[in-house]
Amino acid sequence: MIEDFLSWLASERGRSANTLTAYRRDLNGYTTWLTENGATLTTVQRAQLDQFVQTRRASGAASASVARQLAAVRMLHRFLVEEGKRPDDPSADVEGGHVPAGIPHPLTEEEVDRLLSVVVAP
């Protein structure tokens, strides 16, 4: 099912080879976790997905990594519903956590001056 999904991403969505490689890695990790926890792509339930996300967070994975993997899982489950492989999408309401938006913005010259003005010389 994962390869069907990846083929769909490539042909219908025009995803790059690098994107497909990342999705394959993330989804293989997910299906391995499912197998280890007695579930499959067609039987996994919302509570198990919540547990999967908690397990990823507890492993020390960065928030962005967990969010990226969950995005791949969500897309896969939507695909499975659209293809009639599942009647429902157990990932629809799973919380992925907050990912900081981009890199920090530099301080303005005025902000730097204010910071420097409060520094007390030794």
Side-chain angles (χ1 to χ4, degrees):
M1 285 190 255
I2 290 176
E3 290 306 316
D4 291 340
F5 170 66
L6 294 173
S7 293
W8 175 79
L9 280 178
S11 63
E12 298 294 323
R13 297 287 181 105
R15 297 297 192 247
S16 72
N18 287 340
T19 298
L20 297 175
T21 298
Y23 273 63
R24 181 177 286 111
R25 181 183 57 248
D26 289 343
L27 294 173
N28 284 338
Y30 171 59
T31 56
T32 298
W33 185 90
L34 289 176
T35 300
E36 291 170 353
N37 288 275
T40 67
L41 290 172
T42 56
T43 65
V44 64
Q45 297 300 311
R46 162 71 192 267
Q48 291 167 304
L49 278 166
D50 287 335
Q51 184 182 7
F52 169 72
V53 172
Q54 290 171 357
T55 300
R56 293 291 299 132
R57 286 184 186 140
S59 75
S63 296
S65 296
V66 174
R68 186 199 68 239
Q69 191 168 24
L70 185 56
V73 167
R74 284 184 175 137
M75 286 185 69
L76 173 62
H77 280 290
R78 279 194 300 262
F79 172 80
L80 294 175
V81 170
E82 289 173 10
E83 294 293 309
K85 308 280 186 193
R86 270 197 77 115
D88 63 334
D89 179 356
S91 69
D93 297 322
V94 174
E95 295 281 329
H98 175 71
V99 177
I103 61 174
H105 297 286
L107 296 175
T108 65
E109 187 175 338
E110 181 181 305
E111 290 168 325
V112 171
D113 287 341
R114 275 191 310 219
L115 282 172
L116 292 174
S117 71
V118 297
V119 175
V120 179

